[in-house]
Coordinates of all heavy atoms in Angstrom, one line a residue:
K1 N 0.8 -1.2 0.0 CA 0.0 0.0 0.0 C 0.9 1.2 0.0 O 1.9 1.3 0.7 CB -0.8 0.0 1.3 CG -2.2 -0.6 1.1 CD -2.9 -0.4 2.4 CE -4.4 -0.7 2.2 NZ -5.1 -0.6 3.5
R2 N 0.4 2.2 -0.6 CA 1.1 3.5 -0.7 C 0.5 4.5 0.3 O -0.8 4.5 0.4 CB 1.0 4.1 -2.1 CG 2.0 5.2 -2.3 CD 1.9 5.6 -3.7 NE 0.7 6.3 -4.0 CZ 0.5 7.1 -5.0 NH1 1.4 7.2 -6.0 NH2 -0.7 7.7 -5.2
R3 N 1.3 5.2 1.1 CA 0.8 6.1 2.1 C 0.5 7.4 1.4 O 1.2 7.8 0.5 CB 1.8 6.3 3.1 CG 2.0 5.1 4.0 CD 3.0 5.5 5.1 NE 3.4 4.3 5.8 CZ 4.4 4.2 6.6 NH1 5.2 5.2 6.8 NH2 4.7 3.0 7.2
L4 N -0.6 8.1 1.9 CA -0.9 9.4 1.4 C 0.1 10.5 1.8 O 0.5 11.3 1.0 CB -2.3 9.9 1.9 CG -3.5 9.0 1.4 CD1 -4.7 9.5 2.1 CD2 -3.6 9.1 -0.1
V5 N 0.6 10.4 3.0 CA 1.7 11.3 3.5 C 2.9 10.4 3.7 O 2.9 9.6 4.6 CB 1.2 12.0 4.7 CG1 2.3 13.0 5.2 CG2 -0.1 12.8 4.5
P6 N 3.9 10.6 2.9 CA 5.1 9.7 3.1 C 5.8 10.0 4.4 O 6.0 11.1 4.8 CB 6.0 10.0 1.9 CG 5.5 11.3 1.3 CD 4.1 11.5 1.8
G7 N 6.2 8.9 5.1 CA 7.0 9.0 6.3 C 6.3 9.3 7.5 O 6.9 9.5 8.6
S8 N 4.9 9.2 7.5 CA 4.2 9.5 8.8 C 3.1 8.4 8.9 O 2.6 7.9 8.0 CB 3.5 10.8 8.8 OG 2.6 10.9 7.7
K9 N 2.9 8.1 10.2 CA 1.9 7.0 10.5 C 0.6 7.7 10.9 O 0.6 8.9 11.4 CB 2.4 6.1 11.6 CG 3.6 5.4 11.2 CD 4.1 4.6 12.3 CE 5.4 3.9 12.0 NZ 6.0 3.2 13.1
S10 N -0.5 7.0 10.8 CA -1.8 7.6 11.2 C -1.8 7.9 12.7 O -2.5 8.9 13.1 CB -2.9 6.7 10.8 OG -2.8 5.5 11.5
E11 N -1.2 7.1 13.5 CA -1.1 7.4 15.0 C -0.4 8.7 15.2 O -0.8 9.5 16.1 CB -0.5 6.3 15.7 CG -1.3 5.0 15.7 CD -0.6 3.9 16.4 OE1 0.5 4.1 16.9 OE2 -1.1 2.8 16.3
E12 N 0.7 8.9 14.5 CA 1.5 10.2 14.7 C 0.7 11.4 14.3 O 0.7 12.4 14.9 CB 2.8 10.1 13.9 CG 3.8 9.1 14.5 CD 5.0 9.0 13.6 OE1 5.1 9.7 12.6 OE2 5.9 8.2 14.0
I13 N -0.1 11.2 13.2 CA -0.9 12.3 12.7 C -2.0 12.6 13.8 O -2.3 13.8 14.0 CB -1.6 11.9 11.4 CG1 -0.5 11.8 10.3 CG2 -2.6 12.9 11.0 CD1 -1.0 11.3 9.0
Q14 N -2.6 11.6 14.3 CA -3.7 11.8 15.3 C -3.1 12.5 16.6 O -3.7 13.4 17.1 CB -4.3 10.5 15.7 CG -5.5 10.6 16.7 CD -6.6 11.4 16.0 OE1 -6.9 11.3 14.8 NE2 -7.3 12.2 16.8
V15 N -1.9 12.1 17.0 CA -1.3 12.7 18.2 C -1.0 14.2 17.9 O -1.2 15.1 18.7 CB 0.0 11.9 18.6 CG1 0.8 12.7 19.6 CG2 -0.4 10.6 19.1
S16 N -0.5 14.4 16.7 CA -0.2 15.8 16.3 C -1.4 16.7 16.3 O -1.4 17.8 16.7 CB 0.6 15.8 15.0 OG 0.8 17.1 14.6
A17 N -2.5 16.1 15.7 CA -3.8 16.8 15.6 C -4.3 17.1 17.0 O -4.8 18.2 17.3 CB -4.8 16.1 14.8
D18 N -4.3 16.1 17.9 CA -4.8 16.3 19.3 C -4.0 17.4 20.0 O -4.5 18.2 20.7 CB -4.7 15.0 20.0 CG -5.7 14.0 19.6 OD1 -6.7 14.4 18.9 OD2 -5.6 12.8 19.9
R19 N -2.7 17.4 19.8 CA -1.8 18.4 20.4 C -2.2 19.8 19.9 O -2.2 20.8 20.6 CB -0.4 18.1 20.1 CG 0.6 18.6 21.2 CD 2.0 18.1 21.0 NE 2.1 16.7 20.6 CZ 3.0 16.2 19.7 NH1 3.8 17.0 19.1 NH2 3.0 14.9 19.4
A20 N -2.4 19.9 18.6 CA -2.8 21.2 18.0 C -4.1 21.7 18.5 O -4.3 22.9 18.9 CB -2.8 21.1 16.5
V21 N -5.1 20.8 18.7 CA -6.4 21.2 19.2 C -6.3 21.6 20.6 O -6.9 22.6 21.0 CB -7.4 20.1 19.0 CG1 -8.7 20.3 19.8 CG2 -7.7 19.9 17.5
T22 N -5.5 20.9 21.4 CA -5.4 21.2 22.8 C -4.7 22.6 23.0 O -5.0 23.4 23.8 CB -4.5 20.2 23.5 OG1 -5.2 18.9 23.4 CG2 -4.4 20.5 25.0
S23 N -3.7 22.8 22.1 CA -3.0 24.1 22.2 C -3.9 25.3 21.8 O -3.9 26.3 22.5 CB -1.8 24.1 21.2 OG -1.2 25.4 21.1
I24 N -4.8 25.1 20.8 CA -5.7 26.1 20.4 C -6.7 26.3 21.5 O -7.1 27.5 21.9 CB -6.4 25.8 19.1 CG1 -5.3 25.9 18.0 CG2 -7.5 26.7 18.8 CD1 -5.8 25.4 16.6
E25 N -7.3 25.3 22.1 CA -8.3 25.4 23.1 C -7.7 26.1 24.4 O -8.5 26.8 25.0 CB -8.8 24.0 23.5 CG -9.8 23.4 22.5 CD -11.1 24.1 22.5 OE1 -11.5 24.6 23.6 OE2 -11.7 24.2 21.4
S26 N -6.5 25.9 24.7 CA -5.9 26.5 25.9 C -5.8 28.0 25.7 O -5.7 28.8 26.6 CB -4.5 25.9 26.2 OG -3.6 26.2 25.2
R27 N -5.7 28.5 24.4 CA -5.6 29.9 24.2 C -6.9 30.6 23.8 O -6.9 31.8 23.6 CB -4.5 30.1 23.1 CG -3.1 29.8 23.5 CD -2.1 30.0 22.4 NE -2.2 28.8 21.5 CZ -2.0 28.9 20.2 NH1 -1.8 30.0 19.6 NH2 -2.1 27.7 19.5
T28 N -7.9 29.8 23.7 CA -9.2 30.3 23.2 C -10.0 30.9 24.4 O -10.1 30.2 25.5 CB -10.1 29.2 22.6 OG1 -9.3 28.7 21.4 CG2 -11.4 29.8 22.1
R29 N -10.5 32.1 24.3 CA -11.3 32.7 25.4 C -12.8 32.5 25.1 O -13.2 32.8 24.0 CB -11.0 34.2 25.5 CG -9.5 34.4 25.9 CD -9.2 35.9 25.9 NE -9.9 36.6 26.9 CZ -9.8 37.9 27.1 NH1 -9.1 38.6 26.3 NH2 -10.4 38.5 28.1
R30 N -13.5 32.0 26.0 CA -14.9 31.8 25.9 C -15.7 32.9 26.7 O -15.4 33.1 27.8 CB -15.3 30.4 26.4 CG -14.5 29.3 25.7 CD -15.2 28.8 24.5 NE -14.5 27.7 24.0 CZ -14.4 27.4 22.7 NH1 -14.9 28.3 21.8 NH2 -13.7 26.4 22.3
W31 N -16.7 33.5 26.1 CA -17.4 34.5 26.7 C -18.8 34.0 27.0 O -19.5 33.4 26.2 CB -17.5 35.8 25.9 CG -16.2 36.4 25.6 CD1 -15.4 36.2 24.6 CD2 -15.5 37.3 26.5 NE1 -14.2 37.0 24.7 CE2 -14.3 37.6 25.9 CE3 -15.8 37.8 27.8 CZ2 -13.4 38.5 26.5 CZ3 -14.9 38.7 28.4 CH2 -13.7 39.0 27.7
G32 N -19.3 34.2 28.2 CA -20.7 33.9 28.6 C -20.9 32.4 28.9 O -22.0 32.0 29.1
K33 N -19.9 31.7 29.0 CA -20.0 30.2 29.3 C -19.8 29.9 30.8 O -20.1 28.9 31.2 CB -19.0 29.4 28.5 CG -19.2 29.5 27.0 CD -20.3 28.6 26.6 CE -20.4 28.6 25.1 NZ -21.4 27.7 24.6
G34 N -19.2 30.9 31.5 CA -18.9 30.6 32.9 C -17.8 29.7 33.1 O -17.1 29.4 32.1
G35 N -17.6 29.2 34.3 CA -16.5 28.3 34.6 C -16.8 26.9 34.0 O -17.8 26.3 34.3
R36 N -15.9 26.4 33.2 CA -16.2 25.1 32.5 C -15.8 24.0 33.4 O -16.3 22.9 33.2 CB -15.5 25.0 31.2 CG -16.0 26.0 30.2 CD -15.4 25.8 28.8 NE -14.0 25.2 28.8 CZ -13.5 24.7 27.8 NH1 -14.1 24.7 26.6 NH2 -12.3 24.2 27.8
H37 N -14.9 24.2 34.3 CA -14.4 23.1 35.1 C -14.9 23.1 36.6 O -14.3 22.6 37.5 CB -12.9 23.1 35.1 CG -12.4 22.9 33.7 ND1 -12.5 21.8 33.0 CD2 -11.7 23.8 32.9 CE1 -12.0 21.9 31.8 NE2 -11.5 23.1 31.7
T38 N -16.0 23.8 36.8 CA -16.5 23.8 38.2 C -17.4 22.7 38.5 O -18.2 22.3 37.6 CB -17.3 25.2 38.5 OG1 -18.4 25.2 37.5 CG2 -16.4 26.4 38.3
K39 N -17.3 22.1 39.6 CA -18.1 21.0 40.0 C -19.4 21.5 40.6 O -19.5 22.5 41.2 CB -17.4 20.1 41.1 CG -16.2 19.4 40.6 CD -15.6 18.6 41.7 CE -14.4 17.9 41.2 NZ -13.7 17.1 42.2
P40 N -20.6 20.9 40.3 CA -21.8 21.3 40.8 C -21.9 21.2 42.3 O -21.4 20.2 42.9 CB -22.9 20.5 40.1 CG -22.1 19.3 39.7 CD -20.7 19.7 39.4
L41 N -22.4 22.2 43.0 CA -22.5 22.2 44.4 C -23.7 21.3 44.8 O -24.8 21.6 44.4 CB -22.7 23.6 44.9 CG -22.9 23.8 46.4 CD1 -21.6 23.4 47.1 CD2 -23.2 25.2 46.7
T42 N -23.5 20.4 45.7 CA -24.6 19.5 46.2 C -24.8 19.8 47.6 O -23.9 19.9 48.4 CB -24.2 18.0 46.0 OG1 -23.0 17.7 46.7 CG2 -24.1 17.7 44.5
V43 N -26.1 20.0 48.0 CA -26.4 20.3 49.4 C -27.5 19.3 49.8 O -28.3 18.8 48.9 CB -26.9 21.7 49.5 CG1 -25.8 22.7 49.3 CG2 -28.1 22.0 48.6
E44 N -27.6 19.0 51.0 CA -28.6 18.1 51.6 C -29.9 18.8 51.8 O -29.9 19.9 52.4 CB -28.1 17.5 52.9 CG -29.0 16.5 53.5 CD -28.5 16.0 54.9 OE1 -27.4 16.4 55.2 OE2 -29.3 15.3 55.5
N45 N -31.0 18.3 51.4 CA -32.3 18.9 51.6 C -32.8 18.5 53.0 O -33.3 17.4 53.2 CB -33.3 18.4 50.5 CG -34.6 19.1 50.6 OD1 -34.9 19.9 51.5 ND2 -35.5 18.8 49.7
K46 N -32.6 19.4 54.0 CA -33.0 19.1 55.3 C -34.5 19.2 55.6 O -35.0 18.7 56.5 CB -32.2 20.0 56.3 CG -30.7 19.7 56.3 CD -29.9 20.6 57.2 CE -28.5 20.3 57.1 NZ -27.7 21.1 58.0
F47 N -35.1 20.0 54.7 CA -36.6 20.1 54.8 C -37.3 18.9 54.4 O -38.4 18.6 54.9 CB -37.1 21.3 53.9 CG -38.5 21.6 54.0 CD1 -39.1 22.0 55.2 CD2 -39.4 21.3 53.0 CE1 -40.5 22.2 55.3 CE2 -40.7 21.5 53.0 CZ -41.3 22.0 54.2
G48 N -36.7 18.1 53.6 CA -37.4 16.9 53.1 C -37.8 15.9 54.2 O -38.7 15.2 54.1
T49 N -37.0 15.9 55.3 CA -37.3 14.9 56.4 C -38.4 15.4 57.3 O -39.1 14.6 57.9 CB -36.0 14.7 57.2 OG1 -35.5 16.0 57.7 CG2 -34.9 14.1 56.4
V50 N -38.6 16.7 57.4 CA -39.7 17.3 58.2 C -40.9 17.7 57.4 O -41.9 18.0 58.0 CB -39.2 18.5 59.1 CG1 -38.1 18.0 60.0 CG2 -38.7 19.6 58.2
A51 N -40.8 17.6 56.1 CA -42.0 18.0 55.3 C -43.2 17.2 55.5 O -44.3 17.8 55.6 CB -41.6 18.0 53.8
P52 N -43.1 15.9 55.7 CA -44.4 15.1 55.9 C -45.1 15.6 57.2 O -46.3 15.6 57.2 CB -43.9 13.7 56.1 CG -42.6 13.6 55.3 CD -42.0 15.0 55.5
A53 N -44.4 16.0 58.2 CA -45.0 16.5 59.5 C -45.9 17.7 59.2 O -47.0 17.9 59.6 CB -44.0 16.7 60.5
W54 N -45.3 18.7 58.4 CA -46.0 19.9 58.0 C -47.2 19.6 57.1 O -48.3 20.1 57.3 CB -45.1 20.9 57.3 CG -44.1 21.5 58.2 CD1 -42.9 21.0 58.6 CD2 -44.3 22.8 58.9 NE1 -42.3 21.9 59.4 CE2 -43.1 23.0 59.6 CE3 -45.3 23.7 58.9 CZ2 -42.9 24.1 60.4 CZ3 -45.1 24.9 59.6 CH2 -43.9 25.1 60.4
F55 N -47.0 18.7 56.1 CA -48.0 18.4 55.2 C -49.2 17.8 55.8 O -50.4 18.2 55.7 CB -47.4 17.5 54.1 CG -48.4 17.1 53.0 CD1 -48.6 18.0 51.9 CD2 -49.2 16.0 53.1 CE1 -49.5 17.7 50.9 CE2 -50.1 15.6 52.1 CZ -50.2 16.5 51.0
Y56 N -49.0 16.7 56.6 CA -50.1 16.0 57.2 C -50.7 16.8 58.4 O -51.9 16.6 58.6 CB -49.6 14.6 57.7 CG -49.3 13.7 56.6 CD1 -48.0 13.2 56.4 CD2 -50.2 13.3 55.6 CE1 -47.7 12.4 55.3 CE2 -50.0 12.5 54.6 CZ -48.7 12.1 54.4 OH -48.4 11.3 53.3
A57 N -50.0 17.7 59.0 CA -50.6 18.5 60.0 C -51.6 19.5 59.3 O -52.7 19.7 59.8 CB -49.6 19.3 60.8
L58 N -51.3 20.0 58.2 CA -52.2 20.9 57.5 C -53.4 20.2 56.9 O -54.5 20.6 57.0 CB -51.5 21.6 56.3 CG -50.6 22.8 56.7 CD1 -49.8 23.3 55.5 CD2 -51.4 23.9 57.3
V59 N -53.2 19.0 56.4 CA -54.3 18.2 55.9 C -55.2 17.8 57.0 O -56.4 17.8 56.9 CB -53.8 16.9 55.1 CG1 -54.9 16.0 54.8 CG2 -53.1 17.4 53.9
S60 N -54.6 17.4 58.2 CA -55.5 17.0 59.3 C -56.3 18.2 59.8 O -57.5 18.0 60.1 CB -54.5 16.6 60.5 OG -55.3 16.4 61.7
G61 N -55.7 19.4 59.9 CA -56.5 20.6 60.2 C -57.6 20.9 59.2 O -58.7 21.3 59.6
F62 N -57.4 20.6 58.0 CA -58.4 20.8 56.9 C -59.6 19.8 57.1 O -60.7 20.2 57.1 CB -57.8 20.7 55.6 CG -58.8 20.7 54.5 CD1 -59.5 21.8 54.1 CD2 -59.2 19.5 53.8 CE1 -60.4 21.8 53.1 CE2 -60.1 19.5 52.8 CZ -60.7 20.7 52.4
V63 N -59.2 18.6 57.4 CA -60.3 17.5 57.5 C -61.1 17.8 58.8 O -62.3 17.6 58.8 CB -59.6 16.1 57.6 CG1 -60.6 15.1 58.0 CG2 -59.0 15.8 56.3
Q64 N -60.5 18.3 59.8 CA -61.2 18.6 61.1 C -62.2 19.7 60.9 O -63.2 19.8 61.6 CB -60.3 18.8 62.2 CG -59.5 17.6 62.7 CD -58.4 17.9 63.7 OE1 -58.3 19.1 64.1 NE2 -57.7 16.9 64.1
N65 N -61.8 20.7 60.1 CA -62.7 21.9 60.0 C -63.3 22.1 58.6 O -63.8 23.2 58.2 CB -61.8 23.2 60.2 CG -61.2 23.2 61.6 OD1 -61.9 23.0 62.5 ND2 -59.9 23.5 61.7
K66 N -63.5 21.0 57.9 CA -64.0 21.1 56.5 C -65.5 21.4 56.5 O -66.0 22.0 55.5 CB -63.8 19.8 55.7 CG -64.5 18.6 56.2 CD -64.3 17.4 55.4 CE -65.1 16.2 56.0 NZ -64.8 15.0 55.3
D67 N -66.2 21.2 57.5 CA -67.7 21.5 57.6 C -68.0 22.8 58.2 O -69.2 23.1 58.3 CB -68.4 20.3 58.3 CG -68.3 19.0 57.5 OD1 -68.3 19.0 56.3 OD2 -68.2 18.0 58.2
D68 N -67.0 23.6 58.6 CA -67.3 24.8 59.3 C -67.6 25.9 58.3 O -66.7 26.4 57.5 CB -66.0 25.3 60.1 CG -66.2 26.5 61.0 OD1 -67.4 27.0 61.0 OD2 -65.3 26.9 61.7
T69 N -68.9 26.3 58.2 CA -69.3 27.2 57.1 C -68.8 28.6 57.4 O -68.6 29.4 56.4 CB -70.8 27.2 57.0 OG1 -71.4 27.6 58.3 CG2 -71.4 25.9 56.6
T70 N -68.6 29.0 58.6 CA -68.1 30.4 58.9 C -66.6 30.5 58.4 O -66.2 31.6 58.0 CB -68.1 30.7 60.4 OG1 -67.3 29.7 61.1 CG2 -69.5 30.7 60.9
L71 N -65.9 29.4 58.4 CA -64.5 29.4 58.0 C -64.4 29.3 56.5 O -63.6 30.1 55.8 CB -63.7 28.3 58.6 CG -62.2 28.2 58.4 CD1 -61.6 29.4 59.0 CD2 -61.7 26.9 59.0
W72 N -65.2 28.5 55.9 CA -65.0 28.2 54.4 C -66.1 28.9 53.6 O -66.0 28.9 52.3 CB -65.1 26.7 54.1 CG -64.0 25.9 54.8 CD1 -64.1 25.2 55.9 CD2 -62.7 25.9 54.4 NE1 -62.9 24.7 56.2 CE2 -62.0 25.1 55.3 CE3 -62.0 26.4 53.3 CZ2 -60.6 24.8 55.2 CZ3 -60.6 26.1 53.2 CH2 -60.0 25.3 54.1
G73 N -67.1 29.6 54.1 CA -68.1 30.2 53.4 C -67.7 31.6 52.8 O -66.8 32.2 53.3
G74 N -68.4 32.0 51.8 CA -68.1 33.3 51.2 C -66.8 33.4 50.4 O -66.2 32.4 50.1
A75 N -66.5 34.7 50.2 CA -65.3 34.9 49.4 C -64.0 34.6 50.2 O -63.0 34.2 49.6 CB -65.2 36.4 49.0
N76 N -64.0 34.8 51.5 CA -62.9 34.4 52.3 C -62.6 32.9 52.3 O -61.4 32.5 52.4 CB -63.0 34.9 53.7 CG -62.9 36.4 53.8 OD1 -62.2 37.0 52.9 ND2 -63.5 37.0 54.8
G77 N -63.6 32.1 52.2 CA -63.4 30.7 52.1 C -62.7 30.3 50.9 O -61.8 29.4 50.9
G78 N -63.0 30.9 49.7 CA -62.3 30.6 48.5 C -60.8 31.1 48.6 O -59.9 30.4 48.1
R79 N -60.6 32.2 49.2 CA -59.2 32.7 49.4 C -58.4 31.7 50.3 O -57.2 31.4 50.1 CB -59.1 34.1 50.0 CG -59.6 35.1 49.0 CD -59.3 36.5 49.5 NE -60.1 37.5 48.7 CZ -61.1 38.2 49.2 NH1 -61.5 38.1 50.4 NH2 -61.7 39.0 48.4
L80 N -59.1 31.3 51.4 CA -58.4 30.4 52.3 C -58.1 29.0 51.7 O -57.0 28.5 51.8 CB -59.3 30.1 53.5 CG -58.8 29.2 54.6 CD1 -57.5 29.8 55.2 CD2 -59.8 29.0 55.7
L81 N -59.0 28.5 50.9 CA -58.8 27.3 50.1 C -57.6 27.4 49.1 O -56.8 26.5 49.0 CB -60.1 26.8 49.4 CG -59.9 25.5 48.7 CD1 -59.6 24.3 49.7 CD2 -61.2 25.2 47.9
T82 N -57.6 28.5 48.5 CA -56.5 28.8 47.5 C -55.2 28.9 48.2 O -54.2 28.2 47.8 CB -56.7 30.1 46.8 OG1 -58.0 30.1 46.1 CG2 -55.6 30.4 45.8
S83 N -55.1 29.6 49.4 CA -53.9 29.6 50.1 C -53.5 28.3 50.7 O -52.3 27.9 50.8 CB -54.0 30.6 51.3 OG -54.3 31.9 50.8
F84 N -54.5 27.5 51.1 CA -54.2 26.2 51.7 C -53.6 25.3 50.6 O -52.6 24.6 50.8 CB -55.5 25.6 52.2 CG -55.4 24.1 52.6 CD1 -54.8 23.8 53.8 CD2 -56.0 23.1 51.8 CE1 -54.7 22.5 54.2 CE2 -55.9 21.8 52.2 CZ -55.2 21.5 53.4
L85 N -54.2 25.3 49.4 CA -53.6 24.4 48.3 C -52.2 24.9 47.9 O -51.4 24.1 47.6 CB -54.6 24.4 47.2 CG -55.9 23.7 47.4 CD1 -56.8 23.8 46.3 CD2 -55.7 22.2 47.8
L86 N -52.0 26.2 47.9 CA -50.7 26.8 47.5 C -49.7 26.4 48.5 O -48.6 26.0 48.2 CB -50.8 28.3 47.4 CG -49.5 29.0 47.0 CD1 -49.1 28.5 45.6 CD2 -49.7 30.5 47.0
A87 N -50.0 26.4 49.8 CA -49.1 26.0 50.9 C -48.7 24.5 50.7 O -47.6 24.1 50.9 CB -49.7 26.2 52.2
L88 N -49.7 23.7 50.5 CA -49.5 22.2 50.3 C -48.6 22.0 49.1 O -47.6 21.2 49.2 CB -50.8 21.4 50.1 CG -51.6 21.3 51.4 CD1 -52.9 20.5 51.1 CD2 -50.9 20.7 52.5
S89 N -48.8 22.7 48.0 CA -48.0 22.5 46.8 C -46.6 23.0 47.0 O -45.6 22.4 46.5 CB -48.6 23.1 45.6 OG -48.6 24.5 45.7
T90 N -46.4 24.0 47.8 CA -45.1 24.5 48.1 C -44.3 23.6 48.9 O -43.1 23.3 48.7 CB -45.2 25.9 48.8 OG1 -45.9 26.8 47.9 CG2 -43.8 26.5 49.1
I91 N -45.0 23.0 49.9 CA -44.3 21.9 50.8 C -43.9 20.8 49.9 O -42.7 20.3 50.1 CB -45.3 21.5 51.9 CG1 -45.5 22.6 52.9 CG2 -44.8 20.2 52.6 CD1 -46.5 22.3 53.9
V92 N -44.7 20.3 49.0 CA -44.4 19.2 48.2 C -43.2 19.5 47.3 O -42.3 18.7 47.1 CB -45.6 18.7 47.3 CG1 -45.2 17.7 46.3 CG2 -46.7 18.1 48.3
E93 N -43.2 20.7 46.7 CA -42.1 21.1 45.8 C -40.8 21.3 46.5 O -39.8 20.8 46.0 CB -42.5 22.5 45.1 CG -41.5 22.9 44.1 CD -41.8 24.2 43.5 OE1 -42.9 24.8 43.7 OE2 -41.0 24.8 42.8
C94 N -40.8 21.9 47.7 CA -39.6 22.1 48.4 C -39.0 20.8 49.1 O -37.9 20.7 49.3 CB -39.8 23.1 49.5 SG -40.1 24.8 48.8
S95 N -39.9 19.8 49.3 CA -39.4 18.6 49.9 C -38.6 17.8 48.9 O -37.8 17.0 49.3 CB -40.5 17.8 50.4 OG -41.4 17.3 49.4
G96 N -38.8 18.0 47.6 CA -38.0 17.3 46.6 C -38.3 15.8 46.5 O -39.4 15.4 46.7
L97 N -37.2 15.1 46.3 CA -37.3 13.6 46.2 C -37.0 12.9 47.5 O -36.6 11.8 47.5 CB -36.4 13.1 45.1 CG -36.7 13.7 43.7 CD1 -35.6 13.2 42.7 CD2 -38.1 13.3 43.3
A98 N -37.2 13.6 48.6 CA -36.8 13.1 49.9 C -37.8 11.9 50.3 O -39.0 12.0 50.0 CB -36.9 14.1 51.0
P99 N -37.3 10.8 50.8 CA -38.2 9.7 51.2 C -39.0 10.1 52.4 O -38.6 10.9 53.2 CB -37.2 8.6 51.6 CG -35.9 9.3 52.0 CD -35.9 10.6 51.2
G100 N -40.2 9.6 52.4 CA -41.0 9.8 53.6 C -42.3 10.2 53.3 O -43.3 10.4 52.9

C-alpha cells in the first residue's frame, strides 16, 4: 500500500492533531459560558425529612374543619382554600425527592 503522506503514520498524525487542538483550546477565550471546570454544588435537603409532618398537620386541620361554614363560606373561604392548596403544593415542591 502506498501512504498518502510519506514517512508518517496515522497514529502520529492523530497525536499531532490532538496536540494542536489542545494548544488552540488553551488559548481560546470563551465569553458567557462561565467556569467550565466547576463541580456542581450539592447540598442536603434538610426540609425533606420534616416536610411530611407539616403536610399531614395541614391536611389534618383541613379535615377537622371542612364542615365549618363560617370558615369556608363566602369569598374568604375561596381565598383560604387557595392559600391552603398553595401551601401544600409549596411543601411538596420544596421537599423534593426526599423519602417519607
Side-chain angles (χ1 to χ4, degrees):
K1 268 185 168 178
R2 195 172 72 162
R3 293 184 188 165
L4 295 176
V5 180
S8 62
K9 298 178 184 174
S10 63
E11 293 174 5
E12 291 175 0
I13 293 173
Q14 185 63 36
V15 169
S16 177
D18 290 341
R19 208 173 317 141
V21 168
T22 304
S23 175
I24 291 171
E25 283 291 324
S26 68
R27 292 179 279 144
T28 302
R29 296 174 69 182
R30 306 270 185 217
W31 295 96
K33 295 281 185 178
R36 294 187 331 165
H37 300 292
T38 59
K39 293 182 181 178
L41 178 66
T42 58
V43 293
E44 179 184 355
N45 185 356
K46 295 180 181 179
F47 180 69
T49 57
V50 296
W54 286 86
F55 182 85
Y56 291 117
L58 282 173
V59 171
S60 173
F62 172 75
V63 169
Q64 290 173 1
N65 297 314
K66 68 179 180 181
D67 296 325
D68 189 1
T69 56
T70 58
L71 185 63
W72 297 103
N76 287 335
R79 288 188 197 113
L80 180 61
L81 182 62
T82 302
S83 297
F84 173 73
L85 292 175
L86 182 62
L88 289 180
S89 66
T90 303
I91 289 172
V92 170
E93 181 181 355
C94 292
S95 66
L97 300 175

